[in-house]
């Protein structure tokens, strides 16, 4: 089984070492690896819900909501994990034809003018979204649904905070490697 540290080591074979960026990537990967266990819980909940529904004639509304919540946690934090692991989707039609330094410049411009503003908008609006939910102690609309709806809404700013760290690591790596001689 591959650990987050092994993934980080493999990733660093493709790019020269940048200590701060490597440390940030390892932290994001380790966090993503821990959070990825929500998928194991999700599988158990789904199987349990199927057994209850088809084996015993009825499921639990709490499990229905929990499935969506666990899936949301996995996906939202998975974005930062994919960024740190450099396994995210990139349109390479132009990117692959550029020199390595031109690719780094392209990445830096994209991060500064597209990704950072997007993260800022979602993060700060997510904080407001979470705070309003927490303030009124929002719960599920279903009578037997999950309490603390604010907890799942907290995932938005938390996951985008982690994405900010992953993107900052990429920015540091590309900037350092752009100006490093012989790379």
């Amino acid at each position: 089984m591959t650990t987050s540290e092994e993934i980080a080591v493999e990733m660093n074979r493709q790019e020269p070492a940048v200590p701060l960026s490597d440390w940030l990537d390892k932290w994001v990967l380790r966090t993503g690896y821990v959070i990825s266990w929500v998928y194991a819980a999700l599988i158990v909940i789904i199987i349990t819900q199927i057994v209850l529904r088809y084996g015993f004639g009825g499921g639990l509304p709490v499990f229905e909501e929990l499935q969506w919540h666990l899936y949301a946690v996995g996906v939202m934090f998975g974005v930062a994990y994919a960024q740190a692991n450099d396994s995210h989707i990139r349109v390479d039609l132009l990117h692959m034809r550029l020199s390595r330094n031109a690719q780094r410049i392209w990445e830096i411009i994209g991060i500064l003018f597209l990704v950072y503003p997007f993260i800022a908008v979602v993060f700060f609006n997510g904080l407001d979204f979470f705070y309003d939910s927490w303030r009124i102690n929002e719960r599920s609309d279903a009578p037997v649904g999950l309490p603390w709806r604010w907890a799942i809404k907290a995932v938005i700013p938390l996951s985008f905070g982690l994405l900010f760290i992953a993107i900052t690591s990429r920015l540091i790596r590309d900037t350092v490697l752009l100006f490093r001689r012989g790379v």
Side-chain angles (χ1 to χ4, degrees), residues 22-37:
D22 292 343
W23 183 82
L24 289 172
D25 284 344
K26 284 181 185 179
W27 190 81
V28 170
L29 290 170
R30 192 172 293 126
T31 303
Y33 181 76
V34 169
I35 291 173
S36 71
W37 282 96

Side-chain angles (χ1 to χ4, degrees), residues 45-77:
I45 296 295
I46 289 171
I47 291 171
T48 303
Q49 185 71 347
I50 289 169
V51 168
L52 289 173
R53 182 177 299 143
Y54 296 107
F56 298 100
L60 296 175
V62 170
F63 282 180
E64 291 289 332
E65 290 185 12
L66 192 56
Q67 288 175 38
W68 286 104
H69 289 204
L70 293 174
Y71 182 70
V73 169
V75 169
M76 293 295 288
F77 283 101

Side-chain angles (χ1 to χ4, degrees), residues 36-157:
S36 71
W37 282 96
V38 302
Y39 286 115
L42 178 61
I43 290 168
V44 170
I45 296 295
I46 289 171
I47 291 171
T48 303
Q49 185 71 347
I50 289 169
V51 168
L52 289 173
R53 182 177 299 143
Y54 296 107
F56 298 100
L60 296 175
V62 170
F63 282 180
E64 291 289 332
E65 290 185 12
L66 192 56
Q67 288 175 38
W68 286 104
H69 289 204
L70 293 174
Y71 182 70
V73 169
V75 169
M76 293 295 288
F77 283 101
V79 172
Y81 182 86
Q83 175 61 41
N85 200 24
D86 203 25
S87 60
H88 57 89
I89 296 173
R90 175 184 287 130
V91 179
D92 281 334
L93 295 174
L94 296 174
H95 194 266
M96 68 184 183
R97 296 171 193 229
L98 300 173
S99 69
R100 192 62 191 128
N101 279 343
Q103 288 176 350
R104 289 185 178 115
I105 292 169
W106 189 255
E107 290 277 336
I108 291 167
I109 291 170
I111 289 169
L112 293 175
F113 295 105
L114 298 174
V115 181
Y116 272 166
F118 174 71
I119 289 173
V121 166
V122 174
F123 179 81
F124 290 114
N125 284 310
L127 282 176
D128 291 340
F129 192 52
F130 156 71
Y131 176 73
D132 288 342
S133 181
W134 178 76
R135 184 179 46 81
I136 64 170
N137 197 22
E138 185 179 6
R139 60 170 292 118
S140 172
D141 292 334
V144 292
L146 294 174
W148 308 322
R149 178 65 56 94
W150 53 265
I152 192 63
K153 291 182 179 183
V155 167
I156 297 168

